[in-house]
Amino acid sequence: MTTVTFDSLNPATGQVVGSHAKQDAQAVREAVTLAEEAARWWDELGAAERRRRLLDYKAVITGQLRPLAELVHQETGKPVDDAVLEIVLTITHLDWAARNAGKVLGRRRVATGLVGLNLQATLEYLPLGVVGVIGPWNYPVFTPMGSISYALAAGNAVVFKPSELTPGVGVRLAELFREAVPERPVFQTVTGLGETGAALAGDPRVKKIAFTGSTATAKRVMAACAENLTPIVAECGGKDAFIVDADADVPAAADACLWGALSNAGQTCVGVERVYVVDQVYEPFMRELKARAEQVRAGEHYGPITMPAQLDVIRRHIDEAVTSGKAVTGGPESVRAPYVDPVIVEDVPEDSAAVREETFGPTITVRRTRDAHEALELANASAYGLGGTVFSRDTRRAARLARLMRSGATAVNSVISFAGVPSLPFGGVGDSGFGRIHGADGLREFTRPKAVARQRFAMPGMNLTSFSRGADDLERLIRMVTILHGRRKR
Ligand code: NDP
């Protein structure tokens, strides 16, 4: 039998990094069969053993930090140092998930209330079985591992389909896992194109799909999942806003804004794409931003555009933005495939594609606003709602703006900082998706709550769940409920 393969390429040089199998539906089914058995074994190991093995996996990844970063660099084109940063973040999440799964998910007693006085109630979060993870290419370690680490820690087996642009990294992550857990294929990677992912989403034995990618693909994956009522976590794109309030530390805001927009060539789901600056600080902020942007170059400070087709989107947004707005830094000439130099455009109409659609490139639009209120209104007028940033020296004001920002997470006086805090959940609203990875919510996402109520003794004089129940039983219940719940507070 011949195996059909596809190549992963270095986007900076076009050279072949590796060749991988296009695994078909049959191969995916076989992986899921193995995963089902592995899931039972992994579940029965118990939380303490899983923790030990996952911490071991963490140590294996840490030991391979540099070679893994080199592979990420080759497949995505991003600088090795950025890849190191991504892997370090992954390690901290894996550590947190491993250490906290038992505590967050383990069986615990919950209060029953007076009506259930004779009961003992326990709650436990059980693994789902096999979880399918479908990942993107932009952070090929951090992003899928945000689901994989938490799904594994929660006691599931994982079948992972990496992006066709970064299959080598996906294969390596599973290989490293086998070094820590050689007994059973608890974490497998299947490689291929979209059809391989579709086969995974369509397998009824997969009990949840954790999808990270574009909103359009999420809809297709959801449709495939609907066939079997398979639940899905959808981590999709964003069009994150960055608000600079009148009392902000302007140089710090400009510095953070630029890094949030340009790092990873802007190919970050929570990258800065829209900037709203309050009138009083607009001029100094723009001076800082422009001066700093002129020091940053593609190919030196950040890598190429990984996915060639994205260049067309970036080019279209830049062309539209500079026509309807005013170029501050760069312009159409900034696109020198596969690189794109920084592009900053101001006064771009809010209804243009450059402001509404995800660009996923090193570009930003900037708008002057009357006040923070208007900035917030414009920030929230997006179909997306993933992350966002607020810069203000007033802690209470910043907290209020952050709370009112329509997004899953907001960084204050820093950028993207929430993604590095393992105990914080990560995910979006609207077109940015639903469900959460990371933190306690991220662990629970890959479980089903199991409720058990045990009767400790028969409630004297209140035999309610029996056909021998008398009128007196009901009278006593009504009296008790009236005492407990019948009094109005105002
Ligand atoms: P895509 O939506 O193109 O692909 C995501 C994954 O889905 C890939 O593995 C892809 O495989 C797979 N896929 C494609 N078609 C199907 C299908 N019909 N059924 C099942 N799987 C399928 O996204 P990108 O890889 O281009 O990633 C960029 C997007 O991801 C951006 O919108 C970005 O904002 C978002 N993103 C969101 C994050 C978040 O946490 N919210 C984090 C990182 C990125 P293949 O590559 O082989 O086509």
Side-chain angles (χ1 to χ4, degrees):
M1 193 185 80
T2 54
T3 310
V4 184
T5 61
F6 67 105
D7 293 335
S8 74
L9 307 176
N10 181 324
T13 62
Q15 277 172 343
V16 174
V17 180
S19 199
H20 298 273
K22 268 191 199 169
Q23 290 185 262
D24 60 10
Q26 177 59 25
V28 172
R29 274 197 294 278
E30 281 165 18
V32 175
T33 302
L34 291 175
E36 274 200 309
E37 202 274 318
R40 279 190 287 276
W41 175 80
W42 187 239
D43 179 21
E44 279 161 18
L45 269 187
E49 267 301 303
R50 282 197 295 274
R51 170 189 163 121
R52 193 177 67 72
R53 284 150 200 265
L54 286 172
L55 292 177
D56 214 34
Y57 179 36
K58 178 193 72 169
V60 172
I61 294 180
T62 309
Q64 291 295 313
L65 215 166
R66 284 189 181 281
L68 187 58
E70 178 59 33
L71 183 57
V72 170
H73 160 68
Q74 286 184 18
E75 284 198 324
T76 64
K78 72 174 74 180
V80 177
D81 289 0
D82 286 359
V84 167
L85 214 62
E86 171 183 348
I87 299 167
V88 169
L89 269 187
T90 307
I91 289 166
T92 62
H93 275 278
L94 180 54
D95 181 69
W96 193 92
R99 289 184 194 281
N100 288 279
K103 199 164 50 198
V104 172
L105 307 174
R107 199 152 72 100
R108 63 169 187 268
R109 295 252 291 263
V110 294
T112 55
L114 271 180
V115 179
L117 202 61
N118 60 333
L119 302 174
Q120 186 194 74
T122 56
L123 169 62
E124 183 179 4
Y125 292 87
L126 300 176
L128 300 170
V130 180
V131 169
V133 175
I134 299 175
W137 44 265
N138 57 344
Y139 292 90
V141 177
F142 180 69
T143 296
M145 285 295 286
S147 297
I148 294 167
S149 305
Y150 290 81
L152 289 172
N156 302 283
V158 167
V159 178
F160 170 40
K161 154 64 178 74
S163 163
E164 66 194 69
L165 300 181
T166 53
V169 175
V171 167
R172 194 75 192 115
L173 288 172
E175 278 172 4
L176 295 177
F177 183 82
R178 277 201 295 281
E179 286 184 26
V181 186
E183 297 94 331
R184 297 282 201 289
V186 176
F187 170 15
Q188 301 169 77
T189 292
V190 290
T191 54
L193 312 185
E195 305 84 74
T196 310
L200 188 60
D203 191 316
R205 297 167 302 164
V206 173
K207 297 302 174 211
K208 188 151 202 169
I209 287 286
F211 171 83
T212 310
S214 63
T215 309
T217 310
K219 290 178 185 175
R220 282 200 290 279
V221 171
M222 233 179 132
C225 286
E227 197 63 36
N228 302 304
L229 272 189
T230 307
I232 158 173
V233 190
E235 297 288 347
C236 307
K239 189 74 184 171
D240 283 3
F242 188 105
I243 295 177
V244 187
D245 204 353
D247 67 342
D249 176 338
V250 169
D255 185 53
C257 178
L258 211 60
W259 191 85
L262 304 182
S263 60
N264 210 33
Q267 303 165 114
T268 304
C269 51
V270 284
V272 175
E273 298 218 358
R274 298 176 294 146
V275 184
Y276 299 104
V277 187
V278 169
D279 184 50
Q280 287 103 304
V281 287
Y282 189 81
E283 305 300 341
F285 177 80
M286 290 309 281
R287 269 198 305 278
E288 283 280 349
L289 194 67
K290 185 173 162 60
R292 285 166 193 266
E294 277 162 8
Q295 310 300 316
V296 180
R297 275 189 67 77
E300 195 181 327
H301 297 97
Y302 58 82
I305 300 305
T306 307
M307 185 167 71
Q310 195 65 26
L311 278 166
D312 297 336
V313 177
I314 297 168
R315 198 178 281 117
R316 176 166 58 82
H317 286 187
I318 294 173
D319 289 349
E320 193 195 9
V322 298
T323 309
S324 57
K326 192 166 130 247
V328 175
T329 303
E333 71 287 357
S334 305
V335 181
R336 3 173 227 108
Y339 296 97
V340 180
D341 286 318
V343 178
I344 302 172
V345 192
E346 59 185 354
D347 297 336
V348 183
E350 291 295 303
D351 61 355
S352 66
V355 178
R356 304 214 75 80
E357 297 171 11
E358 184 181 47
T359 308
F360 227 50
T363 68
I364 39 176
T365 59
V366 193
R367 170 160 293 270
R368 185 196 297 261
T369 66
R370 259 189 333 272
D371 50 26
H373 180 71
E374 190 193 11
L376 189 69
E377 239 172 44
L378 293 172
N380 286 349
S382 170
Y384 291 109
L386 193 53
T389 313
V390 171
F391 259 77
S392 167
R393 283 197 173 95
D394 183 330
T395 310
R396 285 177 62 185
R397 213 176 140 74
R400 187 169 157 70
L401 286 172
R403 184 171 188 277
L404 292 175
M405 185 177 264
R406 184 181 162 275
S407 68
T410 299
V412 175
N413 296 338
S414 60
V415 72
I416 316 183
S417 43
F418 44 77
V421 181
S423 49
L424 280 178
F426 184 91
V429 298
D431 280 4
S432 292
F434 52 84
R436 292 295 181 264
I437 56 171
H438 301 174
D441 294 285
L443 285 167
R444 287 191 205 105
E445 189 72 57
F446 297 106
T447 62
R448 60 186 169 93
K450 179 71 196 189
V452 176
R454 180 175 69 82
Q455 178 163 306
R456 294 183 296 141
F457 55 86
M459 192 84 114
M462 234 201 273
N463 191 11
L464 298 171
T465 52
S466 163
F467 289 116
S468 60
R469 185 180 65 207
D472 288 358
D473 289 317
L474 215 60
E475 265 317 307
R476 272 188 287 276
L477 178 68
I478 291 170
R479 271 205 302 280
M480 184 171 155
V481 163
T482 307
I483 293 167
L484 286 175
H485 303 292
R487 200 172 329 135
R488 296 183 64 176
K489 295 274 184 251
R490 60 190 167 97

